[in-house]
């Protein structure tokens, strides 16, 4: 069995995209970064899902990589808190008009929510929060779970978003791959996974897959360290 | 008790510093918790950490909820200062990354940090199981660590209505399945388990404590910040755990419930168990009556309790459970004192806000 990337997607990261998240997401947000995150994740997922109903009947695994820049946001709140002696009271008052979602910070769970809203059958869901190589963990888990038959299709997605001007547009985006099991011997040289600062791995995979042309698949392999003495 | 301003909840199970001096940052506090649990687990398993670091067949998976921000950064952010050129929001950030980098630094990309809310501790064990099953690792140090008792955390959950309001009786405020339960009590702690392949254990000449026989996850989208009602999705996670182990309901002698002490979870989880087991559900209990809710670490510490149930043939009771909520319709909620009965199979549940549900089935070897 080989793990094959049959669909890849990249939104943003230097390519233009239209931010129109309020029409795409089912709940209200006043925080632009979270809106960006939702928009980017959903847009990426829609490309990975393929045609409507294509994933029906498949056991899917969702592997998200969070990105630290999504956590660095909201000068407004900092300004709001700056002169407050009682931060707890200030936070409480600040939160009163917000969606409960915003009171929690699970940005990657938003991705899960949006993905499952698309009607896929989720058998595995993990969000990786070790930020230095989260996308590597996500892709490796998808390949791993495919190889042992725990899932039929794996989605690995990394999203970076920020409302901060410090994060240049080239750094904002969502990139992901859809991985299936296959036996193709025409998939070209296998892409061997190795970690690097995220989301470079997924961006390289997406680029390598795109370079193969429409309808092509990119084989992916996990380096396996054999047990000592084997 | 913790002082949390004028919120509805003023109760939490906070763990004091080991040396009594406190910590420079929350990340270091989380690291200390982790190192304590890891050292205990490795000693119990007869493993040497230095040897593990250089062994490419060893991995580490740690779950956390994500409230371990640095107190200095929190304070700086509250003053409106920039950190690394960026504004930091103590409200939204998830800077547990700093703690994860401290914890996992020795293992490089063989380290994974997972965060799926309150199911994360079990998801870490699932990850470990899959790594071993796929032949990618012989040994995985897996579990969860949580140091979440922070004013902001308490405020957030209180705002969601998830925390107890039984402020006058903090010792008994966590009372899963009780008709008077009023929300969960936040807890802290760490639990690490050594997940090892059968071949590796045999080669080392050690006897495993129990088999991580099966695991299941199921995801719902009923609500982004609430658990799933009706128990259907929780039942799916439990059934998948049994199926993956090749087990039946008759193989389950005890269920360690997620049992948070929130009105909604305890009801829907009971309904989920009924969907799987019908009227033949085994005895159930929630150890959160004692520990409070360890959030991202809950699944790991409760898996450890489940292993102990198998090892000692002892089923723990639900502390502070006096009168079972009549809407919770399972037949045997263990209360009062522990029960000493043969126990060879345990199902352990962890269900998270936003609909991430996980169950594992542990079996006597």
């Amino acid at each position: 069995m080989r793990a094959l990337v049959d669909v890849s997607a990249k939104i943003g990261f230097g390519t233009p995209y239209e931010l129109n998240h309020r029409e795409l997401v089912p709940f209200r947000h006043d925080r632009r970064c979270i809106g960006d995150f939702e928009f980017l994740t959903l847009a990426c997922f829609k490309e990975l899902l393929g045609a409507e109903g294509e994933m029906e009947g498949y056991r899917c695994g969702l592997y998200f990589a969070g990105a630290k820049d999504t956590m660095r946001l909201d000068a407004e709140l900092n300004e709001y808190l700056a002169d407050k002696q009682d931060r707890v009271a200030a936070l409480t008052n600040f939160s009163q008009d917000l969606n409960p979602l915003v009171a929690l910070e699970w940005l990657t769970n938003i991705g899960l929510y949006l993905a499952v809203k698309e009607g896929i059958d989720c058998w595995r869901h993990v969000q990786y929060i070790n930020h230095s190589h989260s996308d590597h963990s996500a892709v490796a888990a998808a390949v791993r779970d495919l190889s042992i038959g725990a899932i039929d299709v794996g989605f690995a997605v990394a999203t970076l978003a920020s409302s901060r001007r410090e994060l240049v547009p080239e750094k904002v985006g969502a990139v992901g791959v859809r991985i299936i099991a296959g036996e193709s011997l025409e998939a070209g040289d296998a892409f061997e996974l190795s970690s690097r600062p995220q989301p470079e791995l997924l961006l390289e995979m997406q680029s390598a897959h795109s370079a193969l042309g429409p309808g092509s698949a990119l084989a992916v392999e996990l380096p396996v360290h054999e047990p000592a003495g084997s | 008790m913790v002082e949390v301003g004028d919120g509805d909840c003023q109760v939490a199970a906070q763990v004091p510093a080991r040396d009594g001096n406190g910590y420079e940052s929350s990340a270091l506090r989380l690291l200390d918790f982790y190192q304590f649990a890891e050292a205990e687990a490795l000693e119990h398993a007869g493993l040497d950490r230095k040897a593990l670091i250089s062994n490419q067949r060893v991995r580490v998976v740690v779950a956390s909820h994500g409230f371990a921000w640095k107190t200095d950064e929190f304070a700086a952010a509250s003053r409106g200062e920039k950190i690394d050129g960026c504004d930091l929001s103590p409200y939204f950030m998830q800077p547990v990354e700093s703690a994860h980098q401290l914890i996992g630094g020795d293992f490089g990309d063989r380290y994974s940090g997972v965060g799926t809310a309150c199911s994360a501790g079990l998801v870490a064990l699932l990850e470990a199981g899959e790594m071993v099953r796929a032949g990618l690792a012989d040994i995985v140090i897996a579990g969860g660590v949580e140091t979440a008792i922070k004013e902001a955390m308490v405020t957030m959950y209180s705002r969601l209505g998830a925390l107890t309001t039984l402020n006058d009786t903090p010792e008994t405020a966590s009372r899963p399945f009780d008709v008077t339960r009023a929300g969960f009590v936040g807890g802290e702690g760490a639990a690490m388990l050594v997940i090892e392949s059968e071949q590796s254990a045999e080669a080392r000449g050690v006897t495993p404590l129990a088999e991580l026989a099966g695991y299941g996850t199921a995801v719902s989208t009923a609500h982004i910040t609430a658990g799933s009602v009706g128990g259907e999705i929780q039942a799916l996670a439990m059934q998948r755990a049994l199926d993956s182990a090749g087990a039946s309901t008759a193989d389950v002698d005890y269920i360690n419930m997620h049992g948070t002490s929130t009105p909604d979870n305890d009801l829907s989880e009971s309904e989920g168990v009924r969907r799987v087991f019908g009227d033949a559900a085994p005895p159930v209990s929630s150890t959160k009556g004692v520990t409070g809710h360890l959030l991202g670490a809950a699944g790991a510490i409760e898996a450890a309790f489940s292993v102990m149930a198998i090892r000692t043939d002892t089923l723990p009771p639900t502390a502070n459970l006096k009168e079972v909520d009549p809407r919770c319709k399972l037949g045997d909620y263990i209360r009062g004192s522990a029960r000493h009965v043969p126990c060879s199979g345990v199902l352990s549940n962890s269900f998270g806000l936003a609909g991430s549900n996980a169950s594992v089935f542990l079996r006597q070897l």
Side-chain angles (χ1 to χ4, degrees):
Chain A
M1 191 284 290
R2 301 188 84 174
L4 303 174
V5 173
D6 72 332
V7 183
S8 62
K10 182 178 78 171
I11 308 293
F13 292 119
T15 58
Y17 66 94
E18 185 179 352
L19 185 66
N20 194 21
H21 58 84
R22 288 178 189 279
E23 294 181 8
L24 284 167
V25 297
F27 28 72
R28 178 181 69 89
H29 293 299
D30 296 329
R31 297 289 165 269
R32 169 150 177 233
C33 178
I34 293 177
D36 282 1
F37 190 95
E38 290 175 348
F39 170 82
L40 293 164
T41 305
L42 181 60
C44 185
F45 245 95
K46 280 187 175 294
E47 289 198 20
L48 296 179
L49 285 169
E52 188 173 349
E54 191 172 320
M55 289 297 101
E56 194 172 331
Y58 289 98
R59 299 172 302 150
C60 296
L62 306 178
Y63 309 89
F64 291 92
K68 66 180 179 184
D69 287 315
T70 64
M71 318 305 165
R72 298 177 173 231
L73 65 159
D74 217 319
E76 181 187 343
L77 177 60
N78 284 331
E79 291 168 6
Y80 177 83
L81 288 176
D83 61 349
K84 302 295 188 294
Q85 296 299 312
D86 185 343
R87 287 176 300 169
V88 171
L91 284 168
T92 302
N93 293 334
F94 187 81
S95 71
Q96 280 178 341
D97 295 331
L98 299 181
N99 185 313
L101 163 67
V102 183
L104 302 172
E105 82 308 301
W106 301 316
L107 295 173
T108 39
N109 261 20
I110 297 171
L112 166 70
Y113 186 77
L114 296 174
V116 179
K117 274 289 186 189
E118 295 296 315
I120 66 174
D121 185 10
C122 180
W123 280 66
R124 289 284 183 272
H125 159 237
V126 187
Q127 56 191 57
Y128 298 93
I129 53 177
N130 51 323
H131 300 292
S132 62
H133 54 273
S134 294
D135 63 337
H136 174 265
S137 294
V139 177
V143 174
R144 177 197 70 205
D145 289 352
L146 266 174
S147 72
I148 57 178
I151 59 171
D152 302 315
V153 183
F155 297 89
V157 177
T159 307
L160 283 84
S162 173
S163 62
R164 306 309 313 138
R165 292 189 179 125
E166 288 84 352
L167 196 59
V168 297
E170 288 73 20
K171 297 286 186 183
V172 175
V175 57
V177 292
R178 187 174 84 178
I179 305 177
I180 60 172
E183 300 293 343
S184 171
L185 298 177
E186 300 173 358
D189 294 331
F191 188 100
E192 185 168 303
L193 297 181
S194 61
S195 68
R196 61 211 77 173
Q198 80 157 356
E200 295 303 322
L201 172 67
L202 266 170
L203 286 171
E204 282 185 32
M205 290 182 71
Q206 188 273 333
S207 177
H209 176 249
S210 295
L212 294 176
S216 300
L218 175 71
V220 185
E221 288 183 356
L222 275 175
V224 177
H225 300 281
E226 295 299 329
S230 64
Chain B
M1 293 283 281
V2 293
E3 294 297 330
V4 289
D6 59 358
D8 293 334
C9 175
Q10 295 188 322
V11 177
Q14 192 172 38
V15 177
R18 276 196 283 171
D19 61 5
N21 293 325
Y23 298 89
E24 289 182 25
S25 72
S26 292
L28 291 176
R29 186 162 183 262
L30 188 137
L31 177 66
D32 188 42
F33 279 37
Y34 169 77
Q35 289 176 332
F36 187 91
E38 185 207 67
E40 201 171 71
L42 295 184
E43 181 182 3
H44 195 189
L47 291 166
D48 174 64
R49 190 174 197 275
K50 285 184 179 175
L52 297 182
I53 290 171
S54 59
N55 185 341
Q56 294 296 311
R57 300 277 302 169
V58 175
R59 291 171 182 255
V60 178
V61 187
V62 177
S64 190
H65 190 288
F67 284 100
W69 50 68
K70 295 178 180 178
T71 50
D72 55 345
E73 289 191 353
F74 186 102
S78 298
R79 293 192 298 271
E81 296 176 7
K82 292 180 184 297
I83 307 297
D84 295 336
C86 298
D87 290 307
L88 277 173
S89 164
Y91 213 82
F92 302 121
M93 67 185 184
Q94 198 175 24
V96 73
E97 70 171 287
S98 56
H100 277 290
Q101 285 164 1
L102 289 171
I103 291 171
D106 291 338
F107 291 89
D109 65 10
R110 290 179 288 130
Y111 173 83
S112 292
V114 300
T116 54
C118 301
S119 67
L122 274 195
V123 169
L125 299 185
L126 183 154
E127 284 277 287
E130 299 282 54
M131 289 171 183
V132 170
R133 193 173 150 207
L136 299 172
D138 297 324
I139 294 171
V140 185
I141 307 166
V145 55
E146 201 64 82
T147 55
I149 306 304
K150 304 286 186 300
E151 53 194 8
M153 171 270 178
V154 175
T155 301
M156 291 176 194
Y157 275 106
S158 188
R159 180 61 53 190
L160 287 174
L163 293 180
T164 184
T165 53
L166 301 172
N167 296 320
D168 295 335
T169 53
E171 297 85 356
T172 62
S174 180
R175 52 185 72 168
F177 310 110
D178 194 276
V179 70
T180 63
R181 70 192 184 281
F184 78 77
V185 173
E188 294 185 322
M192 299 305 300
L193 293 85
V194 173
I195 310 298
E196 187 169 11
S197 71
E198 191 174 11
Q199 295 84 348
S200 175
E202 282 180 5
R204 294 199 304 119
V206 297
T207 303
L209 299 174
E211 178 191 6
L212 179 56
Y215 26 73
T217 59
V219 172
S220 69
T221 57
H223 192 277
I224 190 73
T225 58
S228 310
V229 297
E232 185 176 1
I233 201 74
Q234 294 92 332
L236 190 57
M238 288 183 255
Q239 190 63 59
R240 285 175 175 174
L242 293 176
D243 290 346
S244 73
S248 71
T249 54
D251 297 316
V252 182
D253 298 311
Y254 163 65
I255 302 175
N256 187 294
M257 304 279 272
H258 187 49
T260 56
S261 189
T262 61
D264 289 347
N265 174 83
D266 297 358
L267 176 59
S268 61
E269 186 177 14
S270 296
E271 291 172 337
V273 171
R274 276 190 65 82
R275 285 177 182 269
V276 176
F277 292 86
D279 292 329
V284 306
S285 70
S286 168
T287 42
K288 289 186 177 72
V290 173
T291 63
H293 189 355
L294 271 63
L295 305 174
I301 196 169
E302 288 158 16
F305 293 153
S306 299
V307 170
M308 290 305 297
I310 291 171
R311 298 290 296 173
T312 63
D313 285 331
T314 303
L315 312 185
T318 299
N320 311 316
L321 173 55
K322 304 293 185 189
E323 180 182 352
V324 175
D325 184 340
R327 297 177 303 158
C328 297
K329 297 184 183 301
L330 297 178
D332 191 357
Y333 294 90
I334 307 169
R335 52 182 168 162
S337 57
R339 190 177 300 172
H340 302 285
V341 296
C343 179
S344 58
V346 176
L347 201 60
S348 187
N349 293 335
S350 283
F351 305 138
L353 295 177
S356 177
N357 304 289
S359 295
V360 300
F361 181 60
L362 296 148
R363 191 158 51 193
Q364 187 177 43
L365 283 164

